[in-house]
Amino acid sequence: MEENKIKNTAKLTAIYSVSNIVVKMSGLILLPLYTSFISLEQYGLLALYEIVYEVLNLLAGLGIDSALTRWYYDDKTGYDKKTITFNASLVSHITTLVVMLLGYFSIYGFSSNLFGTKQPQTLIIWFMVSNLTRILIRHPLVLMRTQQYAVRQTIINILKTAFVIGFSFITIAYFKMGLMGIFIAETIANILVLPYLYMHLIKHIDFKYEPKLIKEMLAFSLPLVTSWVLTLVLTLSDRYIIKYFGTLGDVGTYTLAYKISNIIRVLVVHSFAQAYIPIFYKSMHDEDSKSFYIKSFNYYTFISIVIALSLTIFGQEAIRIVAQSSDYWSAYTILPYLVIGTIFSGFIQMLVLPLQKHKKTKTISIINLLAGIHNIVLNIILVPYLGIIGAALATALTNLFVALVYYYFTYKLEKIRYEEMKVVFALFWCIIISAIALYIADLPLGQRLPLKIALFISFPIIMYFSKFYSKQELSDIRHAIKQLKNSGKFKILNRKKDNE
């Protein structure tokens, strides 16, 4: 049973990773375009627009998507899946339209305060339209993920990403539309995938209004969304603090590093969460699930650190390749702090689930609020002295603080003891190897590249000799390698027979 859950999680994670790799690759493909046609200051301005989008994204739907995921497989609710989906969709769409209208008037009226300068009305309109279409496609995609239609969701994301890339080159490179071109390309791409998504959504709803069900789901989601918005405002306030103590150029440099570090979030954290969360809720009442949670935590730790090291070790070279202007190149110096913080954010996503299982959303909201305050205080203390490194360090320390608090509550509710020493040991070596990579950054490319490759290879070797992998895991790895070898030999033999 547990082995099937692990395999299913791994399979779904791999499928979602394909989608997320394509999405992240699109970001890397577009970076040279952005850095060629958009100044560092404009790129910093785009980061502020993205913060506004994140706030609107959380408010739209009032967190009902999290309630949909929580209720969908719980047979104890007394409602069928189609009724749950319809009522969640109803709340999502009504609140989205209200939030978008209020958002437009608020942004237009206070754009000088939000962005430092008065923004053109046309730019704000396209920004809001792109937000609306992004949020409209979110809800059916959440339903697909909850239903574990991983392949279908992956295909949709790949198509949408291809549309974004294609139209971005037209609007930005050909028509020289700058930030407006980014928003227009996003809008067109979203509109092209909307019809299929809504056909899927309508197919899986039953038009049965249940006010009691809506009330129950909102009682679950409202404390979450309230804390998420407050936390987001406080957490992403680092961009505004950087701008206050520095320049929009500093915000642009920080944002580029943040986007590079988000490769871990996209490839590992989001992919793993998309696979893990539905399986968690489907098996949350099973007696034998604790071992599955512990193993999943270890696997996530190892994979996320491998990806993290690839960024901290080779990020310097990667940024020089994707960023056309040398103004952006210093971003690699803050990558280690950001990627460590991203690993901690993955811990948070796993450790918060037992609290959601027991519907402790008020506890979650208090923790998230404290996290936001913790982050903003650290930013105010560190940024004046350390600049953008201080902001990155504040993010990492805040995520660590939240992960530890959630770990305490998880143990209190479920009595789950994760293999803490393995996790701490792996993180320790991640920090050491990243520090060495920064230390040798000034060496000539011919000298530092072999050293960096050796550093990257050293991590799995250190984990092997420290017995991070269990005997069963090593046996599974050997078996998989053996199967690959046999498969290769079989193909060669077949080719020889064909040639004969």
Side-chain angles (χ1 to χ4, degrees):
M1 183 72 174
E2 175 200 316
E3 187 178 346
N4 289 336
K5 290 178 189 174
I6 292 287
K7 286 182 178 178
N8 196 22
T9 304
K11 183 179 80 172
L12 291 173
T13 301
I15 295 170
Y16 286 128
S17 292
V18 172
S19 168
N20 292 333
I21 285 170
V22 172
V23 172
K24 181 48 63 177
M25 284 302 295
S26 74
L28 295 178
I29 291 169
L30 289 172
L31 269 178
L33 180 69
Y34 290 170
T35 54
S36 296
F37 293 94
I38 298 174
S39 68
L40 186 60
E41 289 72 21
Q42 285 285 296
Y43 195 69
L45 184 62
L46 176 62
L48 301 184
Y49 269 105
E50 288 178 350
I51 294 173
V52 176
Y53 161 73
E54 292 294 343
V55 174
L56 295 173
N57 183 45
L58 288 178
L59 288 172
L62 300 180
I64 205 72
D65 288 343
S66 62
L68 171 63
T69 306
R70 169 63 180 80
W71 257 253
Y72 197 79
Y73 288 111
D74 193 347
D75 296 330
K76 297 178 181 180
T77 62
Y79 300 99
D80 63 79
K81 293 180 174 62
K82 288 190 174 183
T83 301
I84 292 169
T85 304
F86 170 71
N87 285 273
S89 300
L90 186 65
V91 174
S92 177
H93 286 80
I94 291 173
T95 55
T96 295
L97 293 174
V98 172
V99 167
M100 289 300 107
L101 283 172
L102 294 176
Y104 166 74
F105 291 112
S106 300
I107 294 169
Y108 183 68
F110 299 99
S111 65
S112 297
N113 304 92
L114 288 170
F115 306 109
T117 58
K118 185 71 176 177
Q119 298 296 295
Q121 185 179 16
T122 307
L123 180 63
I124 295 173
I125 290 173
W126 276 110
F127 170 65
M128 294 305 298
V129 172
S130 71
N131 289 344
L132 176 62
T133 56
R134 284 170 77 177
I135 293 168
L136 285 177
I137 70 170
R138 180 194 67 188
H139 185 72
L141 284 173
V142 169
L143 176 62
M144 279 187 182
R145 185 172 71 242
T146 304
Q147 295 169 326
Q148 297 182 2
Y149 291 153
V151 174
R152 194 175 300 183
Q153 185 182 347
T154 297
I155 292 170
I156 290 293
N157 282 331
I158 290 172
L159 282 173
K160 185 210 157 186
T161 301
F163 292 144
V164 169
I165 293 172
F167 287 111
S168 292
F169 274 92
I170 294 171
T171 58
I172 298 171
Y174 185 76
F175 287 107
K176 307 288 192 302
M177 299 177 74
L179 294 186
M180 192 183 299
I182 295 174
F183 302 143
I184 292 174
E186 178 75 33
T187 300
I188 297 171
N190 292 334
I191 289 173
L192 288 173
V193 299
L194 267 175
Y196 176 81
L197 288 171
Y198 274 80
M199 286 171 58
H200 177 86
L201 178 63
I202 292 169
K203 184 180 176 181
H204 291 87
I205 61 176
D206 184 1
F207 292 88
K208 188 178 179 182
Y209 177 59
E210 292 286 354
K212 184 181 176 183
L213 173 60
I214 290 175
K215 185 178 178 181
E216 289 174 1
M217 289 195 290
L218 287 176
F220 174 87
S221 67
L222 279 175
L224 288 177
V225 75
T226 303
S227 68
W228 288 340
V229 171
L230 289 171
T231 304
L232 184 71
V233 170
L234 293 172
T235 302
L236 297 185
S237 60
D238 53 8
R239 275 66 159 187
Y240 286 98
I241 294 172
I242 291 170
K243 180 177 174 294
Y244 180 80
F245 289 105
T247 65
L248 269 176
D250 294 330
V251 177
T253 302
Y254 181 83
T255 302
L256 177 63
Y258 197 88
K259 284 186 176 293
I260 298 291
S261 71
N262 258 357
I263 291 176
I264 302 175
R265 193 183 305 277
V266 172
L267 298 190
V268 185
V269 178
H270 286 174
S271 300
F272 188 83
Q274 286 171 335
Y276 180 78
I277 291 173
I279 294 173
F280 176 91
Y281 283 129
K282 285 180 75 172
S283 61
M284 63 183 173
H285 299 302
D286 295 349
E287 295 293 329
D288 61 343
S289 292
K290 290 184 181 179
S291 178
F292 163 67
Y293 302 153
I294 294 167
K295 282 193 173 183
S296 297
F297 201 90
N298 287 348
Y299 293 156
Y300 164 77
T301 300
F302 178 78
I303 295 170
S304 62
I305 288 179
V306 169
I307 303 296
L309 287 174
S310 68
L311 296 179
T312 58
I313 293 173
F314 302 109
Q316 178 185 8
E317 290 74 24
I319 288 174
R320 292 198 172 203
I321 292 171
V322 300
Q324 300 300 295
S325 171
S326 60
D327 294 340
Y328 291 85
W329 290 356
S330 62
Y332 81 90
T333 58
I334 62 172
L335 270 177
Y337 308 96
L338 290 172
V339 297
I340 293 294
T342 305
I343 293 173
F344 293 149
S345 74
F347 292 160
I348 292 168
Q349 288 207 26
M350 298 180 73
L351 294 170
V352 75
L353 291 176
L355 278 78
Q356 292 186 354
K357 169 186 170 182
H358 292 278
K359 300 181 181 178
K360 301 288 186 181
T361 52
K362 289 182 180 178
T363 302
I364 295 170
S365 64
I366 293 170
I367 294 170
N368 288 344
L369 179 59
L370 290 174
I373 295 171
H374 185 277
N375 185 68
I376 199 168
V377 169
L378 282 180
N379 269 283
I380 291 171
I381 294 171
L382 296 175
V383 170
Y385 298 99
L386 299 175
I388 56 176
I389 290 178
L393 183 59
T395 299
L397 291 174
T398 298
N399 285 339
L400 173 61
F401 163 73
V402 177
L404 292 173
V405 174
Y406 278 137
Y407 181 82
Y408 166 78
F409 280 101
T410 295
Y411 179 73
K412 191 175 178 181
L413 289 170
E414 298 279 340
K415 295 293 185 285
I416 301 175
R417 288 302 302 266
Y418 296 95
E419 295 179 298
E420 302 95 338
M421 292 312 299
K422 280 188 176 182
V423 174
V424 170
F425 186 78
L427 287 169
F428 170 78
W429 279 105
C430 177
I431 293 169
I432 293 297
I433 292 171
S434 299
I436 295 172
L438 273 180
Y439 181 75
I440 64 174
D442 292 332
L443 291 175
L445 181 64
Q447 295 179 25
R448 74 170 184 266
L449 201 54
L451 290 174
K452 286 187 172 186
I453 293 171
L455 282 173
F456 183 72
I457 295 171
S458 69
F459 178 73
I461 296 172
I462 292 169
M463 292 300 99
Y464 174 81
F465 285 108
S466 66
K467 299 182 179 179
F468 182 88
Y469 324 103
S470 68
K471 290 182 179 179
Q472 181 61 47
E473 289 162 355
L474 289 171
S475 175
D476 290 342
I477 292 169
R478 292 191 192 100
H479 180 66
I481 293 171
K482 188 177 179 181
Q483 282 187 322
L484 285 171
K485 285 182 178 179
N486 290 338
S487 174
K489 289 177 182 177
F490 182 73
K491 286 178 181 177
I492 291 170
L493 287 172
N494 279 343
R495 283 175 188 168
K496 285 182 178 179
K497 287 180 181 180
D498 291 339
N499 291 333
E500 291 172 1

